[in-house]
Amino acid sequence: EIEINLQEYPEEDIPIKLKKMRHGNGIQLYGETSDSGICKYEGEWVFDKRTGDGKCIYPDKSIYKGQFRDNCRDGYGRYEWVSGHIYEGNWRANNMEGAGQFTHSCGTILKGFFK
């Protein structure tokens, strides 16, 4: 927290505490300190939430690249599982929802509207 003194009102010498927050473009590493537990997010932040375009590499090495909203996969994006499965299409609140294409690692393609 940052403490700020309002110099405009010396008779009311009341400090205000502001929360440090991420806003703009940046990178965050979080999770365990071991190699298998680190998650990396690189992208846009709006008032301390992943919002906008970004890329996330999860601890199991799965990768999502696309749009985020309020810390969730939301909008258009591509998710690649380490197994080789790929989903590319619309997301809503971390769920595959809307038009998209799911490609199984064996090559089978499912295309349509996901819910």
Side-chain angles (χ1 to χ4, degrees), residues 37-94:
I38 297 293
C39 187
K40 178 183 177 183
Y41 172 77
E42 182 174 357
E44 297 178 59
W45 296 87
V46 176
F47 297 114
D48 217 30
K49 293 184 178 182
R50 292 177 287 172
T51 298
D53 293 327
K55 179 180 179 181
C56 196
I57 302 173
Y58 297 95
D60 69 351
K61 307 300 183 218
S62 294
I63 299 171
Y64 173 77
K65 186 174 182 180
Q67 297 171 327
F68 287 84
R69 182 178 178 186
D70 293 332
N71 290 328
C72 293
R73 294 182 297 271
D74 201 291
Y76 191 84
R78 177 184 171 102
Y79 194 104
E80 299 178 27
W81 285 264
V82 292
S83 63
H85 300 318
I86 298 170
Y87 173 77
E88 187 165 357
N90 291 304
W91 293 81
R92 184 170 182 196
N94 283 334

